[in-house]
Amino acid sequence: MLLKLVAFGALAASYVTAAGVSRAIAIPPQSRISWETYAEARTTNAERLARGLPLKAPHRRKHNLGRTETSSVPLLTKTGVLQMKNSNGDIMGYVSKTANSFGEYGSLQTQGNALHISFSYDPTKPLQQLDFIGTDSSIYSTFPLVGFVNGFASTSSNLGSGSNYLYVAGVSQTPKGSPPVTQANAFSTYSGSPETVESAVWSIDSATGKVTAQWINTDGTVPTTYLCYTAGADAILLTGNVALLAANFGQVTQIDLYFVEDT
């Protein structure tokens, strides 16, 4: 695989795959992992074959979008798009329906190609711990659920005061309230690097439409988290420490997501 470094703050680069696809990514801090190890882990099996490297073990996909809890009340469904705003309330754009080559979601300026998500809910309960299905996602056929995948440069699956972070990406389903689970997801499928995921992480304020995300740590604790966007990698991230994330990634913008229901 041909590597091409490009300036992006202090810790970012891009590379060009054998298929000619350029990918901007964050280089993990050197104290945690070397760039060579990082780049090699992001290679696909096709690229490893071309370089004479051993193949990585396949990851089984498991889709189960059925109900994870019983209720005597018929579930309802809503469909809409996710609008991005900065801390001043200015509209930045929308979550894109086109995932990148690692199954991670970024943004676009217009609503026309925004990702449509749907979710089922019990009308007698708050809109919490929802599974979002990307109904027109570019990776719907393999990973219809939109959740979080642990960041490659994270040192663990726990968020808090450290530099760990997550990507919004295509995932397989996890139970509501579950801690991170190492199972099928778009990033691991395309990179060969196993990562933990959670799917039932979304909540919506029914009055304002504001969408919040809640990751659960491995010990069951519920950390304070913040959604961010990094333009250099065109990725939406979740972290417990925005300042430290910015120090490692370069420029990041703290964002809010809003559910805009289809009319």
Side-chain angles (χ1 to χ4, degrees):
M1 181 177 68
L2 174 63
L3 296 178
K4 182 172 70 174
L5 296 180
V6 178
F8 169 43
L11 292 168
S14 70
Y15 63 85
V16 179
T17 68
V21 179
S22 178
R23 168 71 160 104
I25 53 175
I27 301 175
Q30 296 302 315
S31 60
R32 293 204 294 269
I33 186 170
S34 69
W35 164 249
E36 289 80 5
T37 301
Y38 181 69
E40 181 174 322
R42 304 285 288 206
T43 58
T44 64
N45 273 335
E47 291 162 350
R48 294 176 70 84
L49 280 173
R51 296 171 58 192
L53 296 173
L55 296 179
K56 296 176 180 178
H59 297 279
R60 296 183 182 274
R61 298 186 179 97
K62 179 182 178 182
H63 300 313
N64 177 15
L65 304 184
R67 294 173 63 164
T68 56
E69 60 181 27
T70 59
S71 172
S72 60
V73 179
L75 295 184
L76 302 180
T77 300
K78 287 182 181 289
T79 302
V81 298
L82 297 174
Q83 186 181 72
M84 293 172 50
K85 295 183 179 181
N86 61 22
S87 58
N88 294 324
D90 301 322
I91 297 175
M92 298 173 58
Y94 299 84
V95 177
S96 174
K97 69 181 181 182
T98 304
N100 64 25
S101 58
F102 291 96
E104 301 156 355
Y105 290 99
S107 75
L108 75 169
Q109 296 297 313
T110 60
Q111 189 173 342
N113 289 312
L115 173 71
H116 282 80
I117 60 102
S118 70
F119 59 90
S120 299
Y121 66 100
D122 183 334
T124 66
K125 297 180 180 179
L127 299 176
Q128 298 176 347
Q129 294 184 321
L130 302 171
D131 278 317
F132 281 178
I133 300 174
T135 59
D136 57 355
S137 166
S138 61
I139 56 173
Y140 175 83
S141 63
T142 51
F143 292 101
L145 288 171
V146 180
F148 287 106
V149 176
N150 193 37
F152 181 84
S154 294
T155 58
S156 74
S157 297
N158 297 317
L159 297 184
S161 59
S163 60
N164 292 342
Y165 65 97
L166 318 167
Y167 285 107
V168 176
V171 300
S172 52
Q173 191 173 43
T174 59
K176 292 184 178 182
S178 170
V181 181
T182 303
Q183 63 184 38
N185 64 83
F187 171 78
S188 294
T189 295
Y190 299 138
S191 71
S193 175
E195 297 292 350
T196 56
V197 305
E198 292 181 20
S199 68
V201 295
W202 305 104
S203 297
I204 300 177
D205 185 319
S206 58
T208 65
K210 184 176 180 179
V211 177
T212 53
Q214 186 59 70
W215 181 260
I216 298 176
N217 285 336
T218 56
D219 61 358
T221 57
V222 179
T224 300
T225 56
Y226 307 93
L227 284 162
C228 297
Y229 174 71
T230 170
D234 188 25
I236 301 170
L237 311 173
L238 190 73
T239 185
N241 190 325
V242 178
L244 197 52
L245 181 72
N248 288 341
F249 265 80
Q251 183 179 1
V252 299
T253 302
Q254 189 173 334
I255 64 169
D256 291 316
L257 293 178
Y258 286 84
F259 175 70
V260 181
E261 188 173 4
D262 290 343
T263 56

